[in-house]
Amino acid sequence: MLTLALALALTGPVAWIDPHDVKAGQKGVCVTEWTDGRRREIPVEVMGVLDAPAPERTSVLVRLDDPELAGGGVAAGMSGSPVYIDGKLLGAVAYGWAFAREPLAGVTPFSTMRAIGTFAPPASAPPPTLQQLSLLAAGRLDPLAVLPHLDHEGPGAAWPVAVSGLPGAQSGWGSQVLTRAGLGPAGPVGNGPVAGVPEPGEMMAVLLAWGDALVAAGGTVTAREGDTLWAFGHPLFGLGSVRLPAARARVLAVQASYQSPFKVFALGEAFGSLVADRPSGVMARIEPPPAGLPVEVEVREAAGVAHWRFRVAEHPLLSPLMVTYLTNACLMARGTSAGESTVRMTYRARMEDGQSLAMFQAARSADAPARLAAFSGAVTALLAASPLPHPKLTGVEVFLQRDELPAGAVIAEVLPARTVVRPGEELAVEVRLQPYLQPMSSQRLLLRIPAVMPAGDVDLVVADGAAWTDYLLKSQPPNAVTFSQQVGALRQFESSTTLVLALEGREKGVAVPGGVLSAVPPSWAWSLGAGLGGTVTRVPTSIVGSTRWAAPYPLEGAVRIPIVVRPPREAP
């Protein structure tokens, strides 16, 4: 037989009570799902109304009278549990306190949650710049610096998230990525035969990644009217209008803890979409859930080849974080989590209009897995949240090869056969490399001097591909005015496994939409500027010739040597 509170939760329009109409000492009940999926009523007592720290932030302080909460307080996953006073809905349990010795909770009034709406486009943020991406590839930027940062609002720690199928949620760099998303690991999530739409007091979960692994944030439904549900009593991320899969969940057990008690839950079938994520809670609708962004990751290493298929939440801020987390977790699935290693990565992306992108990167360092995982997430962010009009990102593939015995080399010395050359000649250059824990080796390359080249001073630049890309972006920044040009700039990124030899002239070039014109006379530059306007800028140098060698391992270093170009010899 249903109790009064449960019966009210399941019938008709929601009747609620204004927080200013309640008084200290009033009694009521909190309905929440507990072990084995059973809903139970917990007696509550109103302690008082807390003054709002900001508009629409009033909350009601209550004490939950339950011996199972003694010594631990509100468990993660209880957020959203409806609280009823005199048969009317007061609101949702929204927060408790870590290390609580008394089960006190803040309740978000339903009168505020009722105003949650989907009146704006999805939230976004500027993606990382090409310069940041090149610094990351060159190992000169913290991998976390290129990822979106979602601040968690409200009292307490980060939002607890449940993860299964891959390691890295509880500790290590992967846990830092989750923290970047405002998420804190709580425990594993299981799969169970749970279907249907959750009712008030029952648990639901928002899917961030699913497929061969699960990343989900769980909470409790506060109220339901028809096809609309309200839950959580505080924001998930505070992203405003969203469209994320929402699934039924079932509580398996409650882990008591003085620091952070939490519910362990099984994930059931998706029933709809989370459509709004606001300061006072979230709103979901019963509808076909979104399909998500397909992500495939393959890892080759000594133990063999492993392949994973996922779907991640389609959102310009969440997709990059989930691609980063999953890429790193797949690298950690079989490999070591400490010490130097060498990682090679091919990143591929598909767009709705048929465009595609392929990029190759490599790294040798203790943070090589983190660097390349962050690189994959940063490129995803550039494609999904480009400031230019752009097509939808429809798929991401990441192919990785990891060697736990690190291999790489430093560019130790560069020896050109001569430092005075003439147009049309070939210049032999010996590049001495110092491999990691191996004897020094050398590589001889030929660089042709352009047949038409004025006499003067130039520089021979020898660098690994990542350092060379970083230098070019600083000296010749791309001037992309369309998304296709932005994708073209990404295609110009070179890997640290490429040895670049280039002749750099000292006559200025001109950056135009889509590329750079080298060694342009001032009069030509003025004419271009007059015709194309602000899309033309002068660049300090120009590249007049180059050659490359594909190394078997990542390289590090850059060397610059002055070269003198003499006039061509006159024919006798």
Side-chain angles (χ1 to χ4, degrees), residues 425-445:
E425 293 181 344
E426 277 192 335
L427 176 63
V429 181
E430 180 185 358
V431 181
R432 294 185 177 176
L433 303 173
Q434 179 57 68
Y436 180 72
L437 299 179
Q438 297 291 329
M440 185 172 289
S441 64
S442 64
Q443 186 69 30
R444 186 175 183 270
L445 292 92

Side-chain angles (χ1 to χ4, degrees), residues 129-511:
T129 64
L130 294 175
Q131 287 76 13
Q132 286 178 304
L133 201 58
S134 69
L135 284 171
L136 174 64
R140 293 197 286 271
L141 187 67
D142 181 352
L144 292 174
V146 299
L147 300 177
H149 189 192
L150 305 178
D151 291 320
H152 175 73
E153 290 189 17
W159 181 280
V161 65
V163 179
S164 71
L166 286 170
Q170 300 290 339
S171 61
W173 191 77
S175 67
Q176 295 181 49
V177 175
L178 294 180
T179 300
R180 191 84 178 174
L183 301 170
V189 59
N191 281 304
V194 190
V197 179
E199 298 294 346
E202 292 182 330
M203 197 165 189
M204 63 172 277
V206 180
L207 302 183
L208 306 177
W210 60 101
D212 288 338
L214 289 172
V215 181
T220 303
V221 174
T222 307
R224 175 185 172 185
E225 278 189 1
D227 290 341
T228 302
L229 294 83
W230 294 267
F232 296 2
H234 60 69
L236 177 55
F237 301 107
L239 294 177
S241 297
V242 294
R243 195 161 182 266
L244 308 175
R248 176 73 169 92
R250 179 173 181 269
V251 178
L252 300 177
V254 180
Q255 175 62 64
S257 167
Y258 284 107
Q259 180 180 2
S260 53
F262 59 89
K263 292 181 177 180
V264 179
F265 61 90
L267 193 64
E269 296 179 5
F271 66 84
S273 304
L274 193 77
V275 295
D277 178 17
R278 302 287 177 184
S280 58
V282 301
M283 184 171 72
R285 289 206 178 102
I286 303 171
E287 62 182 25
L293 173 68
V295 176
E296 295 188 31
V297 182
E298 180 181 280
V299 178
R300 292 179 177 270
E301 52 191 349
V305 180
H307 197 98
W308 293 268
R309 289 181 173 86
F310 310 102
R311 297 270 176 160
V312 303
E314 285 188 275
H315 189 279
L317 297 178
L318 295 177
S319 295
L321 288 162
M322 289 298 103
V323 168
T324 301
Y325 173 77
L326 293 171
T327 300
N328 181 77
C330 290
L331 277 168
M332 297 294 106
R334 296 182 180 179
T336 61
S337 58
E340 287 200 350
S341 63
T342 299
V343 183
R344 298 169 177 85
M345 178 183 76
T346 299
Y347 174 95
R348 294 176 183 165
R350 303 182 304 276
M351 272 67 74
E352 194 173 38
D353 64 350
Q355 291 190 75
S356 61
L357 171 67
M359 301 180 73
F360 178 73
Q361 289 292 311
R364 176 190 67 85
S365 62
D367 69 343
R371 278 169 55 188
L372 294 188
F375 190 93
S376 68
V379 177
T380 301
L382 276 167
L383 298 175
S386 171
L388 301 168
H390 59 278
K392 179 182 177 181
L393 180 63
T394 57
V396 170
E397 297 173 322
V398 184
F399 301 93
L400 301 146
Q401 180 176 337
R402 182 178 183 182
D403 299 315
E404 293 184 2
L405 293 176
V410 174
I411 300 173
E413 192 175 14
V414 176
L415 301 172
R418 57 192 184 281
T419 57
V420 178
V421 297
R422 295 181 188 274
E425 293 181 344
E426 277 192 335
L427 176 63
V429 181
E430 180 185 358
V431 181
R432 294 185 177 176
L433 303 173
Q434 179 57 68
Y436 180 72
L437 299 179
Q438 297 291 329
M440 185 172 289
S441 64
S442 64
Q443 186 69 30
R444 186 175 183 270
L445 292 92
L446 296 177
L447 178 62
R448 180 165 294 278
I449 311 302
V452 179
M453 187 171 182
D457 296 331
V458 296
D459 289 325
L460 171 65
V461 180
V462 180
D464 70 84
W468 175 247
T469 300
D470 184 49
Y471 174 70
L472 280 186
L473 285 172
K474 291 175 180 175
S475 61
Q476 300 181 2
N479 195 10
V481 295
T482 67
F483 180 73
S484 294
Q485 291 172 357
Q486 187 179 55
V487 172
L490 287 170
R491 291 194 182 104
Q492 300 305 311
F493 273 64
E494 299 196 56
S495 165
S496 61
T497 57
T498 300
L499 181 65
V500 179
L501 274 71
L503 277 181
E504 184 179 39
R506 298 179 184 178
E507 187 172 352
K508 293 183 177 181
V510 172

